[in-house]
Amino acid sequence: MAGHSKWANIKHRKARQDSKRQKIYGKLIREITVAARLGGGSAEDNPRLRTVLVKATGANIPKDTIDRAIARGASGLEGETYEEVTFEGYGPSGVAILVQALTDNRNRTVAAIRHAFSKHGGNLGTDGSVSYLFARRGLIPFAPGVDEDALFEAALEVGADDVESNEDGSMCVVTDEATFADVVEGLAHHGLESSDAELAMVPSTTTPLGETDAEKALRLIDALEDLDDVQEVHSNLEVN
């Protein structure tokens, strides 16, 4: 139950997101509202809502703000109706990029995403062009210094799929999408809490780039993440 950590290839995205925390708050609130509208306001009976609540808690969104978003979605009174849309494309140097959006105006969103790809040296692809490279996985990282034996034991007990180690001593518990929230909660009951737990589209292969080429790809990823309708941006970029 060990190997090269998938978390290592996602750290650069987390660092950039930390500088955009206010915008991320808004996107998480939108996701909570949509999840509650589609599956009801009870997290126990709504796996999608449970999953986004893990992310919202990790992002330190106040509980009363979360509760209001759940109530708004469950009541069905909010005027906007959001559609889930996924876009696929390639960035500079052939980096595969997967964009997940929630939009109340598909034409506006398509135009904005196509413009971002074009402006930053990428191109929007067709359905299926890169999605086959990704699988949705739960990633629950722990900083260097975590008790490795305790983490391994707890991860096995709560039903995790894998525990991976990184060269810097950090560890990452890996789950499938369906058990993600249960594993996060189970680890917390063992005193092993992670503020950065997330569901991510993990690539089966990566595109390693040097610093100069990687910066070009990161500029495109940043531009896509800045779009209001975009919820998540995933890539197979590996920064060397």
Side-chain angles (χ1 to χ4, degrees):
M1 252 183 131
H4 179 68
S5 178
K6 295 178 176 65
W7 182 250
N9 293 333
I10 297 176
K11 284 183 179 177
H12 63 84
R13 177 169 61 84
K14 297 293 293 184
R16 296 198 320 281
Q17 286 181 334
D18 286 344
S19 67
K20 306 175 182 179
R21 189 159 298 277
Q22 193 59 46
K23 179 161 284 192
I24 291 171
Y25 279 14
K27 294 184 179 188
L28 285 172
I29 293 301
R30 179 184 295 183
E31 171 65 19
I32 290 169
T33 302
V34 170
R37 177 180 291 122
L38 294 176
S42 170
E44 291 185 1
D45 301 323
N46 186 341
R48 177 171 176 171
L49 181 59
R50 286 185 67 198
T51 296
V52 71
L53 290 181
V54 170
K55 294 173 65 176
T57 300
N60 295 317
I61 297 180
K63 186 178 184 301
D64 59 342
T65 302
I66 293 172
D67 290 342
R68 285 197 299 271
I70 293 173
R72 188 165 60 247
S75 70
L77 295 178
E78 190 181 24
E80 299 93 342
T81 299
Y82 292 106
E83 175 187 7
E84 295 178 284
V85 191
T86 298
F87 301 91
E88 305 176 41
Y90 292 94
S93 302
V95 171
I97 296 178
L98 198 64
V99 183
Q100 297 174 313
L102 282 174
T103 179
D104 57 355
N105 186 324
R106 178 189 277 259
N107 291 337
R108 178 193 67 219
T109 305
V110 171
I113 289 176
R114 179 176 288 113
H115 175 72
F117 270 100
S118 177
K119 180 178 179 181
H120 294 280
N123 60 282
L124 194 58
T126 57
D127 290 347
S129 58
V130 304
S131 58
Y132 72 94
L133 294 171
F134 296 84
R136 195 162 182 81
R137 306 290 283 158
L139 302 178
I140 310 166
F142 293 87
V146 65
D147 186 326
E148 294 187 15
D149 291 337
L151 183 60
F152 274 107
E153 183 177 342
L156 284 170
E157 181 179 324
V158 301
D161 290 348
D162 202 358
V163 179
E164 300 182 339
S165 58
N166 201 23
E167 292 179 357
D168 64 358
S170 61
M171 307 288 289
C172 185
V173 177
V174 183
T175 78
D176 63 28
E177 182 176 7
T179 60
F180 171 67
D182 287 334
V183 172
V184 170
E185 293 172 5
L187 291 174
H189 289 155
H190 284 80
L192 296 161
E193 295 190 54
S194 172
S195 61
D196 288 322
E198 68 166 349
L199 278 172
M201 298 299 289
V202 177
S204 56
T205 60
T206 59
T207 299
L209 298 179
E211 184 175 347
T212 300
D213 290 333
E215 279 298 322
K216 296 176 183 177
L218 288 171
R219 281 195 288 272
L220 169 57
I221 293 170
D222 281 339
L224 290 167
E225 288 180 339
D226 280 340
L227 298 175
D228 289 338
D229 294 337
V230 170
Q231 293 293 107
E232 298 278 356
V233 180
H234 308 278
S235 80
N236 73 340
L237 170 65
E238 180 177 347
V239 182
N240 282 342

